[in-house]
Amino acid sequence: MFVYIVRRLAGMMVVMLIVAAVVFVIARVVPGDPAAVMLGSSATPEDIAALRGRLGLDQPLLGQFLIYLQQIARLDLGESIFLNRPVAQALAERSELTAMLTLMSVGIAVVIGVPVGILSAAMRGRWIDQASIGLAMLAASVPSFWIGLTLIKYLAVDLPWFPVAGYGPPDASFAERLHHLVLPAIALGIPNSALILRFTRTSMLDVLGDDYVRTARAKGLSPLVVVLKHALRNAMIPILTVIGLTAAVMIAGAIVTETVFGLPGVGNLIVSAVLRRDYPVIQGALLVVSAIYVLINLSVDLLYAVVDPRVRY
C-alpha cells in the first residue's frame, strides 16, 4: 500500500507540472493585458509599459514560466495583481464557501442517486424503473443554471423561503450560511445525481444476476437483505468511482452556480480573475482545483480496499 501511494503521488507531481504549463500558456493566450485593464482606457502606452515592467510581464514567457515553477516549488502561488495580496490568502478566504457548497451538493446527489438507483435495479422493467430512468435523463439534460434560476423564481421570490443570493452578513451564524447554500446545492446536486443513479442501477444489475444472489434468495432471505447486504456491498466499487468523479466535477461546476447565486466563493474569484486577466489568481486557483481533483481520485482508489477486502495494492 505504501509503495502504491508513493507511486501515485509521484504521478500526481507529473500531472500537476503538466497542468501548470497548460494553465500558464492558456492564461497568456487569452486576449487582454492586465496592465491595460488596471490603468483603464485613458492610459498611455508608456504608462502601460512601465506597469508591465513592475509586474514582470515584460520578460520572455519562458522566463516567466521558470519563475512560476520556482514559486510552486516553494508552495508559493504568487501575488494577485488586482487584490494586492497572496493568491493563497485569497483562495483561503473563499474556500470555506466552495467546500461547503460542494459537500452539500455531493450529499444531495448521493441521497437522490444511490437509493433511486438501487430501487430502479430491484424493480427492473417496472414503471418505477422506467420513471427513474426518464427522470435521470431529464435531470442530466437540464443545466444547473436553469435549475438555479427556477429555484430562485419559485422558492426565493414567489415564496420567500430562501435568500435570493449572497452568503449572509459577515457575522452570520453557521446555520444562516447553510440556509443561503440550500438552493445552490440543490441546483448543483440534481443534475449530478443522474450520473450516480445510472451507475448505481447498472452496477446493481450486474451483481443481482450472480449466483451468490440467487443462493441468498433460495435460502429464504428477504429481498431487502439480499439487495442491501449482499448485492450492494459488491456493487460499491463502481458507485464509489462515480461519486468521486462527481465530487471533483462539482468543484468546477460551482463556478456557474456561484455566479448565478452571487456567492463569493472560489468559482466567483476565478471568473473575476479571468475578466481582469489576473494571471497569478487564474494559475493558482486552477492548480489547486486540479490538485484536489487528483487527491479525490486517489482517496477513492484507497477506499476500494476498505469496501472490498479482495482489492490489494
Side-chain angles (χ1 to χ4, degrees):
M1 177 70 76
F2 177 76
V3 175
Y4 172 78
I5 294 175
V6 172
R7 189 166 61 247
R8 287 293 301 271
L9 291 176
M12 176 181 171
M13 295 299 104
V14 176
V15 171
M16 297 311 301
L17 179 61
I18 296 174
V19 170
V22 172
V23 171
F24 180 87
V25 172
I26 291 177
R28 282 156 178 78
V29 168
V30 175
D33 187 346
V37 174
M38 292 178 67
L39 295 177
S41 58
S42 60
T44 63
E46 292 76 14
D47 294 334
I48 295 176
L51 182 57
R52 284 179 58 85
R54 290 199 299 272
L55 297 176
L57 299 176
D58 58 340
Q59 300 182 20
L61 287 181
L62 180 59
Q64 295 183 41
F65 182 63
L66 293 177
I67 293 174
Y68 178 53
L69 291 182
Q70 291 174 2
Q71 291 177 340
I72 295 176
R74 299 193 303 267
L75 301 180
D76 180 11
L77 298 179
E79 191 89 7
S80 172
I81 296 175
F82 283 84
L83 301 178
N84 293 322
R85 62 176 181 271
V87 174
Q89 179 183 347
L91 292 174
E93 292 172 354
R94 300 182 180 230
S95 61
E96 176 190 346
L97 186 155
T98 302
M100 290 175 59
L101 175 60
T102 302
L103 289 175
M104 290 177 64
S105 303
V106 172
I108 291 172
V110 171
V111 167
I112 295 175
V114 173
V116 177
I118 294 172
L119 181 62
S120 178
M123 301 291 181
R124 181 180 183 180
R126 302 183 187 180
W127 70 268
I128 295 179
D129 182 27
Q130 300 300 321
S132 64
I133 294 176
L135 291 175
M137 294 178 63
L138 178 63
S141 304
V142 178
S144 60
F145 70 85
W146 186 88
I147 297 177
L149 294 174
T150 303
L151 292 174
I152 291 174
K153 170 66 171 61
Y154 291 104
L155 298 182
V157 177
D158 295 346
L159 297 173
W161 293 347
F162 298 96
V164 175
Y167 195 45
D171 58 345
S173 64
F174 181 73
E176 186 176 355
R177 297 202 183 282
L178 290 180
H179 188 231
H180 279 78
L181 293 179
V182 171
L183 294 186
I186 294 175
L188 188 57
I190 287 179
N192 290 281
S193 67
L195 183 62
I196 297 177
L197 189 157
R198 295 174 63 183
F199 265 79
T200 302
R201 179 182 181 273
T202 302
S203 183
M204 288 293 295
L205 288 176
D206 288 341
V207 300
L208 284 175
D210 290 346
D211 292 338
Y212 71 90
V213 174
R214 287 194 292 267
T215 301
R217 287 171 175 165
K219 289 182 177 180
L221 297 178
S222 67
L224 188 63
V225 173
V226 172
V227 170
L228 297 182
K229 185 177 180 180
H230 294 275
L232 180 60
R233 183 175 182 180
N234 289 278
M236 278 303 296
I237 286 184
I239 297 173
L240 282 177
T241 301
V242 72
I243 290 175
L245 292 175
T246 301
V249 168
M250 282 186 182
I251 298 175
I255 295 176
V256 177
T257 306
E258 289 177 4
T259 302
V260 171
F261 287 90
L263 297 172
V266 174
N268 206 308
L269 177 65
I270 294 175
V271 172
S272 300
V274 171
L275 295 176
R276 296 171 175 174
R277 306 299 186 269
D278 195 340
Y279 297 151
V281 173
I282 298 173
Q283 295 166 177
L286 295 182
L287 195 65
V288 170
V289 170
S290 302
I292 294 174
Y293 192 100
V294 175
L295 288 175
I296 289 176
N297 288 333
L298 175 59
S299 301
V300 171
D301 290 345
L302 296 179
L303 280 176
Y304 291 165
V306 177
V307 173
D308 191 344
R310 295 172 298 179
V311 176
R312 290 289 182 268
Y313 294 112

